[in-house]
Amino acid sequence: MLSLSSGFLSRMAIDAQIDKLFRQTLILSKLFTKSWGRPTTLKELYLFKKECTSQRLMGDFVDEFRPNVIVKKERRSNGVYCGEFRTVSPHSLRFPAHYPAPVDQCPFTVVMPERGADRVCIHLAGTGDHSYWRREYGLATPLLEQRTASIIVPNPFYGERRPDGQYRSSLHNVSDLFVMGVSLISECLFILNWAKERYGFKHAAISGVSMGGFMASLATSNIPYAVGCVPLLSAVSAGPSYCRGVLREAIPWDVLERELRDRDYVRRLEEIPGCDWIHRAHENAARNNESLARSMMDILMTEFTHLYTYPTPVYPQATVALTARSDGYIMHDGLPMQDELWKGSEMRYIERGHVTSYVFCQNIFRECINRSFEKLEQR
């Protein structure tokens, strides 16, 4: 028993060390090196969230701004159908200024059994995942055995949607992260509606690892019908990771602090209707003895990323969330777990770290996806 316990603790220590090395690699490239974002963009994002996504009204928005879908390529081989398509983010049709080229373009790939499928899962990209390969061969291809189709979507600001001058995952502006979120909410809903009509899918789910899992939760909150949600190795808010955890050292706080000392910039933020970010940031900074920039980051991350500011899904029982107990990358930091926030959802745990789970536990990810579909089918 002692040797087993020692081996288990040793593996946990190794996993933690791997996560630490991963963190150190991440902070070599800085995040948010330019700005908090244009005040006009932050204003439009804030008001749109207040009027639309916090009310689960994205369905009405997508119906109004319905983009075309272009077929790039379709092929069939060894009983598998693969279709490559392109559309534009519905959100970009109303707010084009939020999208430096080619962020508004939304390519996606459909992989399914040639004879059809009843189930389809959208797979969103995790932090640093700029290709289709990992999701296609780790998730989509094995899921074909359960007659489950997959749709692989690259995140805005990632892969072929990365704007000129952006290095890998190093978003230029804090607002870019919020644009990514609202874009994926609109894209997932539009693509699911299109795919159900084109292919006849009966059940749908949205999944993702790490940041992709968080984005899957955001998207699910605005689907006006029952879908599964499978957030893997993610939290209910991005705030702790950016403000106190893994990504804190990757942020040039001095750049963001200077912008909050710019009177014209601050004035334009203060003019946003119903918005008191600047006032609260000063109060919190004084109370917590921290910089104004860190206080502002915490406020904005809570405003735009915390799941409690979005609707609970229509059928939360089809949510199956997975958390790594030795995760040294994703911070929960006193936040509620997914099953506490979305009553009826299922919480699963794995005795690994963040990176080792991502590399070695794809089979468990697939189990969670299948479990979500089982719950939908039993409904």
Side-chain angles (χ1 to χ4, degrees):
M1 179 65 71
L2 178 60
S3 61
L4 287 175
S5 298
S6 299
F8 176 69
L9 292 173
S10 176
R11 193 185 73 182
M12 291 179 64
I14 292 171
D15 285 359
Q17 186 64 27
I18 291 172
D19 283 356
K20 181 179 179 180
L21 291 172
F22 182 61
R23 293 200 309 266
Q24 291 172 345
T25 301
L26 277 178
I27 64 175
L28 292 177
S29 55
K30 296 296 184 179
L31 294 167
F32 314 141
T33 55
K34 290 191 175 181
S35 173
W36 293 98
R38 295 185 309 120
T40 302
T41 297
L42 288 166
K43 173 183 177 180
E44 290 170 344
L45 289 169
Y46 171 74
L47 294 178
F48 186 78
K49 178 176 179 288
K50 184 177 180 180
E51 297 165 3
C52 183
T53 53
S54 66
Q55 307 296 322
R56 196 186 286 125
L57 295 177
M58 184 60 85
D60 295 340
F61 176 82
V62 167
D63 286 342
E64 180 181 356
F65 294 89
R66 181 180 291 273
N68 294 323
V69 176
I70 299 170
V71 180
K72 295 171 59 182
K73 183 189 300 184
E74 292 181 287
R75 60 185 183 275
R76 293 168 174 82
S77 176
N78 299 320
V80 177
Y81 163 88
C82 182
E84 297 178 17
F85 303 90
R86 180 177 295 275
T87 186
V88 296
S89 182
H91 191 258
S92 74
L93 297 178
R94 178 168 173 180
F95 300 104
H98 296 183
Y99 295 82
V103 179
D104 62 324
Q105 298 300 303
C106 180
F108 62 94
T109 296
V110 179
V111 180
M112 61 184 291
E114 190 173 359
R115 63 184 185 276
D118 289 335
R119 314 192 308 187
V120 62
C121 183
I122 290 182
H123 304 285
L124 300 179
T127 304
D129 185 357
H130 291 264
S131 71
Y132 290 81
W133 185 87
R134 185 78 183 175
R135 286 172 285 166
E136 180 174 355
Y137 293 100
L139 296 171
T141 299
L143 285 171
L144 293 171
E145 296 179 6
Q146 281 76 47
R147 293 184 57 77
T148 300
S150 292
I151 300 176
I152 304 171
V153 180
N155 291 6
F157 299 94
Y158 270 39
E160 57 190 292
R161 305 182 70 178
R162 189 170 62 240
D164 289 343
Q166 178 184 301
Y167 174 72
R168 295 290 292 170
S169 312
S170 301
L171 304 183
H172 289 157
N173 308 298
V174 177
S175 62
D176 292 345
L177 182 68
F178 310 146
V179 171
M180 181 189 295
V182 72
S183 298
L184 288 171
I185 293 174
S186 69
E187 291 162 20
C188 286
L189 178 54
F190 171 72
I191 292 171
L192 276 187
N193 290 345
W194 171 88
K196 286 162 71 75
E197 182 178 339
R198 180 182 175 95
Y199 299 107
F201 300 126
K202 294 180 181 178
H203 302 290
I206 308 174
S207 179
V209 181
S210 191
M211 181 183 71
F214 169 72
M215 294 297 175
S217 295
L218 283 189
T220 303
S221 76
N222 264 258
I223 306 291
Y225 47 83
V227 296
C229 180
V230 190
L232 305 163
L233 313 180
S234 67
V236 301
S237 173
S241 290
Y242 284 98
C243 298
R244 292 172 291 282
V246 55
L247 298 173
R248 179 185 68 246
E249 295 177 56
I251 298 173
W253 295 104
D254 56 333
V255 173
L256 298 177
E257 184 81 20
R258 282 197 299 272
E259 193 166 39
L260 291 179
R261 303 296 178 182
D262 183 310
R263 292 184 179 181
D264 182 63
Y265 187 83
V266 169
R267 176 185 58 78
R268 294 171 68 191
L269 290 181
E270 290 177 331
E271 290 175 351
I272 299 175
C275 177
D276 61 350
W277 298 334
I278 296 297
H279 175 72
R280 287 163 51 203
H282 279 282
E283 284 192 340
N284 293 348
R287 180 170 58 250
N288 301 323
N289 192 29
E290 63 182 8
S291 71
L292 185 61
R294 294 205 184 194
S295 179
M296 184 69 165
M297 184 71 74
D298 194 37
I299 289 169
L300 291 184
M301 288 294 168
T302 299
E303 180 73 61
F304 288 103
T305 76
H306 202 303
L307 290 186
Y308 79 70
T309 68
Y310 293 85
T312 299
V314 169
Y315 190 60
Q317 291 84 350
T319 295
V320 180
L322 179 70
T323 291
R325 292 191 190 275
S326 301
D327 198 320
Y329 175 71
I330 294 295
M331 290 189 63
H332 296 280
D333 198 29
L335 295 172
M337 301 304 286
Q338 196 106 11
D339 58 343
E340 297 176 277
L341 203 59
W342 291 357
K343 300 298 184 181
S345 59
E346 180 178 327
M347 199 79 219
R348 293 189 171 194
Y349 295 88
I350 186 171
E351 307 294 343
R352 297 304 301 255
H354 190 86
V355 176
T356 50
S357 294
Y358 182 69
V359 173
F360 298 116
C361 299
Q362 298 283 311
N363 61 320
I364 297 176
F365 296 172
R366 297 192 299 271
E367 288 175 8
C368 292
I369 292 171
N370 285 322
R371 175 63 174 159
S372 177
F373 278 117
E374 288 171 4
K375 291 189 166 198
L376 284 173
E377 292 162 353
Q378 294 167 1
R379 183 172 180 249

